Amino acid sequence: MSNAIIEVNHLEKKFGENTVLKDIHFCVEKGEVVSVIGSSGSGKSTLLRCINLLEIPTSGEILFHGENILKQAQLSSYRTKVGMVFQQFNLFNHMTVLENCMVGQTRVLKRNPKEAEEIAKNYLRKVGMIAYIHAYPRQISGGQKQRVAIARALAMEPEVLLFDEPTSALDPEMVGEVLNVMRDLAHSGLTMVVVTHEMAFARDVSSKVVFMDQGVIAEEGHPDIIFNQPKNERTRQFLTRILHQQ
Amino acid sequence: MLLLAANRNFFEWVSFFLQNYGSRFLQGALVTLEVSLIGTVIGFIIGLIVGYLRSIPDNPMSSLWKRVILKIGKMISTIYVEVFRGTPMIVQSMIIYYGSTELFGFEMAAFEAAILIVSINTGAYLTEIVRGGIESIDHGQLEAALCVGMTYRQAMLHIILPQAIRHILPALGNEFVINIKDTAVLNVITVNELFLASKTISATHYRYYEVFTITCVIYFIMTFTVTRILRWIEKKMDGRSSFELYHDDLGGALHE
């Protein structure tokens, strides 16, 4: 437990009368790649959005290196350490690729523009988007946008990177390029939490798989166990259904 | 001479007024432009500030007194917007111009009063337009900004407002054009803008039709020019439609 970067205890989230997350316990250790799987509406995206407080939990606690972030007034510094990649990319539309990867560094981390540019270019090189630094988001494809979004998050040099269904909004032929980047990141030792429908990624890349069902974590463990000998009946049903589709 | 004057046809009258009162028309037009331009700019600033204020979401995590202040601020802004949008500018100008002497005991120059009135009036309209502009920006932009650690204020300043302003630019231009025309009502508080200048000129010779034809053309030239300039600015702001590939010395393109 001492290695835990993020620890979630008794987390509950309600939207009005509707309870979306019930008594969630969840833990991310340094270097782990955690895949969160489950059917739509099971609460996996909400869990991710609670972790960086895009949704305010109804109750429970979220510890970052042992400190409860729900008690902190300053979210800014916490959020720089927990990056986020969205399903819809959310690149800043009025900025070039390069500016997208610099604005957080210069405005939040107060890095000087020269340094920020070097760091941004470095990560854009990593995701294979260096040639496009002068392009605006509307000028590049979905897969390219998502790779830029990953570079933007990496440029903040976060401790954990959260991925909210990063390939779900992509055309099938673009899924591969994004997954390749994510695979490289996982192998480089980056701590990642990935909400995904890509079962191959969950099985082959992650060090832990969390299966969510109806707002609770139904089962979690090593991908080999979850995919080959799931204990929970619902996990089995879900995997049978989704693996048949894919 | 008098006989001659009576026999002038329309075109002769027009050229007579242009020759003898050209500079009066020009002065009036300048005052109209000045008041509407300054009024629109200040009104836009008011609109940005109040529109921003009205867009701030109630954050249950911030302190109670902050939330109370925000609530009161929003209430005042609602009253401001509703009152100034819901009453005619001609009535507002009477109240503000004569009321300033009556209530506060200082006499406002007509020109200053005019700018004040146009500014707060425009501000009330633009507040709602700015808020609409902010709301038209996809919520994901704000979330992405927050996720790189920006505060709400930073996200607004660097991410949301620049995009919102581009969206509302046509509405802003429209407001400027409306102001050029609507400043005509300021003649009731003796601002020497184009309408009052025309009224004075026409009354001197009892020729309304000819004078106001000239006035009409001048108004149209002003609004038409302004519209063109704004269209040009909009185009400029959209940036180039193509981009150049960057040649990286260190190589790259891992996953092409």
Side-chain angles (χ1 to χ4, degrees):
Chain A
M1 271 301 173
S2 63
N3 257 343
I5 300 181
I6 293 171
E7 202 183 320
V8 173
N9 290 322
H10 301 293
L11 185 77
E12 188 181 66
K13 175 65 185 175
K14 288 182 181 173
F15 289 114
E17 291 296 293
N18 198 2
T19 307
V20 190
L21 295 176
K22 286 169 238 165
D23 199 28
I24 298 281
H25 289 262
F26 180 70
C27 174
V28 183
E29 290 182 24
K30 192 166 166 37
E32 263 190 326
V33 177
V34 182
S35 289
V36 185
I37 60 172
S39 37
S40 305
S42 58
K44 47 195 197 313
S45 281
T46 308
L47 171 60
L48 205 68
R49 291 167 58 81
C50 278
I51 290 176
N52 63 7
L53 298 188
L54 285 177
E55 304 289 352
I56 308 296
T58 312
S59 64
E61 56 176 21
I62 297 169
L63 307 179
F64 182 69
H65 291 298
E67 261 182 78
N68 190 354
I69 52 156
L70 291 170
K71 295 252 161 68
Q72 279 180 322
Q74 259 318 332
L75 283 180
S76 177
S77 72
Y78 166 70
R79 279 184 172 143
T80 61
K81 291 173 195 140
V82 181
M84 178 88 164
V85 174
F86 298 87
Q87 183 178 352
Q88 298 295 342
F89 332 123
N90 295 342
L91 292 182
F92 304 133
N93 295 319
H94 61 308
M95 293 180 171
T96 63
V97 164
L98 183 63
E99 287 164 345
N100 261 280
C101 298
M102 286 174 63
V103 65
Q105 298 186 63
T106 52
R107 299 293 178 188
V108 181
L109 299 177
K110 310 289 179 203
R111 287 183 183 147
N112 73 54
K114 201 116 201 106
E115 187 192 359
E117 187 177 329
E118 280 317 305
I119 292 170
K121 280 182 178 168
N122 185 30
Y123 286 109
L124 284 165
R125 213 171 272 128
K126 267 198 179 147
V127 300
M129 284 301 292
I130 189 73
Y132 297 90
I133 56 174
H134 298 309
Y136 283 91
R138 63 189 141 88
Q139 295 165 327
I140 57 180
S141 74
Q144 292 175 324
K145 281 184 205 170
Q146 195 60 297
R147 286 189 278 153
V148 173
I150 291 171
R152 174 177 70 182
L154 288 172
M156 302 299 286
E157 301 182 320
E159 292 183 38
V160 189
L161 201 45
L162 311 177
F163 292 80
D164 187 7
E165 302 196 26
T167 57
S168 297
L170 295 175
D171 291 338
E173 71 262 35
M174 290 170 184
V175 171
E177 60 185 86
V178 172
L179 287 180
N180 280 338
V181 168
M182 290 171 62
R183 205 166 275 139
D184 286 350
L185 289 176
H187 290 145
S188 75
L190 180 73
T191 311
M192 296 159 63
V193 182
V194 186
V195 170
T196 187
H197 289 291
E198 294 293 330
M199 290 305 131
F201 180 87
R203 188 184 52 220
D204 302 338
V205 183
S206 44
S207 48
K208 184 164 83 183
V209 174
V210 173
F211 171 67
M212 287 192 70
D213 185 55
Q214 294 176 357
V216 296
I217 293 179
E219 189 168 357
E220 64 173 290
H222 193 273
D224 287 346
I225 310 275
I226 299 283
F227 281 94
N228 299 326
Q229 305 133 19
K231 292 186 199 78
N232 191 308
E233 181 53 34
R234 301 199 74 107
T235 317
R236 202 168 303 147
Q237 281 172 5
F238 171 76
L239 287 172
T240 314
R241 198 174 31 172
I242 199 155
L243 291 173
H244 261 290
Q245 283 166 10
Q246 284 189 350
Chain B
M1 184 70 187
L2 254 172
L3 203 78
L4 234 156
N7 287 334
R8 279 188 186 122
N9 67 23
F10 174 78
F11 296 103
E12 285 163 346
W13 271 115
V14 167
S15 83
F16 167 79
F17 282 121
L18 284 177
Q19 269 165 26
N20 292 281
Y21 295 98
S23 63
R24 283 293 306 276
F25 279 116
L26 210 64
Q27 267 172 1
L30 269 176
V31 173
T32 291
L33 261 187
E34 259 179 287
V35 172
S36 46
L37 179 63
I38 298 172
T40 307
V41 170
I42 298 178
F44 180 46
I45 294 167
I46 295 173
L48 278 180
I49 295 167
V50 184
Y52 165 69
L53 174 86
R54 283 165 74 93
S55 79
I56 300 174
D58 184 33
N59 181 0
M61 275 180 81
S62 63
S63 62
L64 185 69
W65 66 270
K66 258 190 185 166
R67 293 174 69 185
V68 170
I69 288 177
L70 183 65
K71 189 120 202 174
I72 295 170
K74 281 185 183 177
M75 257 164 59
I76 294 171
S77 75
T78 307
I79 295 169
Y80 161 64
V81 170
E82 293 303 330
V83 166
F84 280 91
R85 282 202 316 184
T87 56
M89 189 158 85
I90 193 165
V91 176
Q92 292 162 17
S93 38
M94 296 298 267
I95 293 176
I96 289 174
Y97 182 57
Y98 295 107
S100 64
T101 329
E102 221 41 51
L103 290 175
F104 307 109
F106 73 93
E107 205 155 317
M108 216 184 274
F111 185 75
E112 270 99 74
I115 285 179
L116 180 71
I117 291 152
V118 176
S119 299
I120 48 182
N121 204 281
T122 308
Y125 277 96
L126 289 182
T127 292
E128 286 303 276
I129 289 171
V130 168
R131 193 175 64 140
I134 290 172
E135 278 167 10
S136 78
I137 304 301
D138 177 33
H139 195 65
Q141 297 281 309
L142 175 66
E143 290 192 345
L146 295 177
C147 282
V148 293
M150 288 192 194
T151 60
Y152 184 80
R153 200 180 53 82
Q154 281 178 316
M156 272 293 148
L157 210 60
H158 304 302
I159 307 300
I160 309 299
L161 282 178
Q163 297 182 59
I165 288 172
R166 171 61 193 90
H167 281 204
I168 65 174
L169 214 59
L172 183 64
N174 198 32
E175 194 60 31
F176 185 22
V177 168
I178 289 173
N179 278 342
I180 290 175
K181 297 184 293 174
D182 282 5
T183 44
V185 306
L186 295 169
N187 79 85
V188 297
I189 57 165
T190 69
V191 181
N192 223 335
E193 42 65 56
L194 183 57
F195 184 85
L196 184 60
S198 310
K199 212 165 98 175
T200 316
I201 298 165
S202 57
T204 318
H205 296 270
Y206 300 106
R207 308 297 311 189
Y208 297 93
Y209 170 49
E210 293 84 354
V211 169
F212 278 95
T213 303
I214 296 171
T215 312
C216 182
V217 171
I218 298 175
Y219 270 119
F220 182 74
I221 290 170
M222 287 198 286
T223 54
F224 187 77
T225 314
V226 164
T227 315
R228 294 301 108 166
I229 292 172
L230 284 162
R231 196 67 34 86
W232 180 78
I233 293 174
E234 279 169 36
K235 271 217 171 115
K236 270 253 140 159
M237 272 184 86
D238 285 340
R240 291 187 307 172
S241 56
S242 63
F243 64 95
E244 273 173 33
L245 286 178
Y246 174 78
H247 295 288
D248 183 32
D249 301 333
L250 295 166
L254 285 168
H255 305 289
E256 286 304 312

